[in-house]
């Protein structure tokens, strides 16, 4: 059975997480081989996830850690 | 991973036996996670920091109730989630939450933005500051329930089961929300990528001009 693009999109998230079964994975990969659109969608989504996990994208407030441990110290001392 | 959990269990036992100051070391690897969880819920830097401190203090006070059925990181994240939700409820009452649940049932159009003329964001583009900024604002635009799942799974890199456990929702719900969040982000970011990083022009048979 030939997969349609729309069907591939429905499974894109699970495909990225390697949560599709072997048969579906094979069908998706076959589709990706000849479909530029789906390949581009997959690549762009994956890259967005790479960027999301990059520590420089979501930064902590300056001094967050110091203030946290300072408060924790007070708590531990009084406990 | 195994050894880390073993060390953690050892640390926890020592803290409970009286070496309280070791809690600093126990929490250090997860400070970032606690903050990001709270930020995804309260959406304000100062409040997220304040709430993160409260969550960590609460984890310290309740450490004896951690039984090791879940991973420590999951247990801690669920404390952070509860702290965030408590603050939300205090701020706006329960009315708005029910509105959000409706988004879920409506379904809606979750199709990605098609890209026809280039295959991927070039790796060097990922190094650009503007792209990181665009991603942050796109994540901020997600509906709350999607942003929370996305934050735990893709930012904090919990797995799907841990995400479900920390948020107190089912695995199936996590998968649906995660899928929608990722597609929405792809859709929000592609127009930005297209204008900022125009495709390389290709000649016949895909060779670069």
């Amino acid at each position: 059975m030939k997969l349609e693009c729309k069907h591939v999109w429905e499974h894109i998230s699970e495909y990225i997480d390697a949560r599709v079964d072997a048969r579906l994975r094979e069908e998706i990969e076959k589709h990706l081989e000849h479909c530029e659109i789906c390949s581009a969608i997959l690549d762009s989504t994956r890259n967005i996830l790479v960027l999301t996990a990059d520590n420089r994208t979501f930064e902590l407030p300056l001094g967050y850690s110091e203030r946290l441990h300072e408060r924790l110290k007070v708590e531990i001392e009084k406990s | 991973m195994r050894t880390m959990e073993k060390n953690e269990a050892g640390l926890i036992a020592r803290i409970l036996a009286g070496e309280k100051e070791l809690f600093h070391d126990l929490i250090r690897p997860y400070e970032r996670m606690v903050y990001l969880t709270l930020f995804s819920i309260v959406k304000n830097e100062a409040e997220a920091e304040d709430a993160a401190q409260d969550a960590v203090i609460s984890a310290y006070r309740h450490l004896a109730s951690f039984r090791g059925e879940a991973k420590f990181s999951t247990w801690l994240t669920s404390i952070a989630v509860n702290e965030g939700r408590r603050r939300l409820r205090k701020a706006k009452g329960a009315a708005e939450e029910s509105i959000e649940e409706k988004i879920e049932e409506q379904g809606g159009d979750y199709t990605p933005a098609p890209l026809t003329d280039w295959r991927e964001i070039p790796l060097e583009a990922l190094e650009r500051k503007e792209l990181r900024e665009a991603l942050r604002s796109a994540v901020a635009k997600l509906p709350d329930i999607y942003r929370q799942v996305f934050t735990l799974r893709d930012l904090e890199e919990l797995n799907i089961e841990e995400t479900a456990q920390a948020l107190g929702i089912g695995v199936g719900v996590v998968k649906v929300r995660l899928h929608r969040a990722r597609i929405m982000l792809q859709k929000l970011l592609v127009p930005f990528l297209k204008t900022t990083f125009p495709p390389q022009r290709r000649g016949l048979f895909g060779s670069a001009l």
Side-chain angles (χ1 to χ4, degrees), chain A residues 9 13 17 19 40 43-45 47 49 55-58 60 64-65 67 69 71 75 79, chain B residues 20 24 31-32 49 53-54 60-61 115 118-119 121 127 132 136 153-154 161 179 182 186:
Chain A
W9 301 344
S13 181
D17 285 335
R19 294 260 177 165
D43 284 338
S44 58
T45 308
N47 280 338
L49 300 186
N55 282 353
R56 291 167 299 175
T57 304
F58 291 87
L60 302 178
Y64 160 76
S65 180
R67 290 189 291 274
H69 285 277
R71 199 170 147 206
E75 174 70 22
S79 71
Chain B
K20 296 171 182 174
H24 287 284
E31 292 170 9
R32 181 179 161 79
E49 173 165 352
Q53 289 185 3
D54 282 355
Y60 173 71
R61 289 181 184 159
L115 301 164
W118 51 280
R119 281 184 65 86
I121 309 168
E127 290 301 314
R132 283 202 270 274
R136 277 196 297 274
R153 173 71 190 95
D154 286 332
E161 286 74 17
H179 176 74
R182 286 169 169 177
Q186 195 266 0

Side-chain angles (χ1 to χ4, degrees), chain B residues 11 28-29 51 53 62 76 79-80 87 92 94 100 119 125 128 132 136 140 145 154 166 170 173 181 185 198-199 205:
Chain B
L11 262 183
R28 215 161 258 127
Q53 289 185 3
H62 296 101
L76 183 61
I79 290 178
R87 283 171 182 253
K92 58 182 181 186
E100 260 213 301
R119 281 184 65 86
R128 300 276 288 265
R132 283 202 270 274
R136 277 196 297 274
I145 52 173
D154 286 332
V173 176
L185 288 177
F205 312 115

Side-chain angles (χ1 to χ4, degrees), chain B residues 35-43 144 147-148 151-152:
Chain B
Y35 173 81
L36 292 173
T37 300
L38 264 320
F39 186 74
S40 81
I41 298 173
V42 302
K43 295 183 280 183
D144 291 356
R147 189 183 49 258
Q148 287 161 18
T151 299
L152 266 54

Side-chain angles (χ1 to χ4, degrees), chain B residues 4-14 26:
Chain B
M4 191 179 127
E5 274 163 40
K6 252 191 189 161
N7 290 343
E8 232 167 54
L11 262 183
I12 291 168
R14 288 172 66 189
L26 178 67

Side-chain angles (χ1 to χ4, degrees), chain A residues 37-54:
Chain A
I37 294 176
C38 286
S39 299
I41 289 170
L42 179 67
D43 284 338
S44 58
T45 308
R46 263 197 183 130
N47 280 338
I48 287 166
L49 300 186
V50 169
L51 190 65
T52 299
D54 187 319

Side-chain angles (χ1 to χ4, degrees), chain B:
Chain B
M1 210 57 199
R2 273 273 158 77
T3 48
M4 191 179 127
E5 274 163 40
K6 252 191 189 161
N7 290 343
E8 232 167 54
L11 262 183
I12 291 168
R14 288 172 66 189
I15 294 163
L16 292 173
E19 293 180 75
K20 296 171 182 174
E21 62 295 339
L22 288 178
F23 192 80
H24 287 284
D25 301 330
L26 178 67
I27 215 74
R28 215 161 258 127
Y30 304 114
E31 292 170 9
R32 181 179 161 79
M33 184 179 242
V34 173
Y35 173 81
L36 292 173
T37 300
L38 264 320
F39 186 74
S40 81
I41 298 173
V42 302
K43 295 183 280 183
N44 169 292
E45 265 194 32
E47 172 138 37
E49 173 165 352
D50 198 46
Q53 289 185 3
D54 282 355
V56 168
I57 300 284
S58 171
Y60 173 71
R61 289 181 184 159
H62 296 101
L63 189 61
S65 71
F66 172 66
R67 298 267 175 250
E69 291 131 6
K71 279 164 78 177
F72 179 70
S73 55
T74 313
W75 181 76
L76 183 61
T77 305
S78 68
I79 290 178
V81 167
N82 287 335
E83 176 60 25
R85 287 178 177 162
R86 193 185 64 78
R87 283 171 182 253
L88 276 194
R89 275 197 303 273
K90 223 169 103 187
K92 58 182 181 186
E96 265 182 65
E97 277 178 57
S98 52
I99 294 172
E100 260 213 301
E101 296 304 321
K102 285 202 183 112
I103 305 176
E104 189 117 77
E105 292 154 27
Q106 281 167 1
D109 177 25
Y110 297 98
T111 50
L115 301 164
T116 46
D117 38 13
W118 51 280
R119 281 184 65 86
E120 61 184 313
I121 309 168
L123 266 179
E124 59 269 25
L126 293 175
E127 290 301 314
R128 300 276 288 265
K129 244 172 94 187
E130 306 94 292
L131 183 53
R132 283 202 270 274
E133 229 171 83
L135 177 55
R136 277 196 297 274
S137 76
V139 171
K141 281 185 199 141
L142 293 176
D144 291 356
I145 52 173
Y146 297 163
R147 189 183 49 258
Q148 287 161 18
V149 166
F150 178 79
T151 299
L152 266 54
R153 173 71 190 95
D154 286 332
L155 235 131
E156 300 176 12
E157 301 184 274
L158 269 65
N159 68 32
I160 287 177
E161 286 74 17
E162 290 161 357
T163 302
Q165 215 178 342
L167 289 171
I169 55 180
V171 166
V173 176
V174 169
K175 285 185 186 169
V176 170
R177 291 183 186 176
L178 185 63
H179 176 74
R180 291 179 178 176
R182 286 169 169 177
I183 297 296
M184 285 169 99
L185 288 177
Q186 195 266 0
K187 221 173 190 169
L188 284 167
L189 286 168
V190 159
F192 171 86
L193 291 164
K194 276 187 170 166
T195 50
T196 315
F197 310 103
Q200 295 199 329
R201 299 192 56 204
R202 285 176 190 278
L204 280 177
F205 312 115
S207 59
L209 282 176

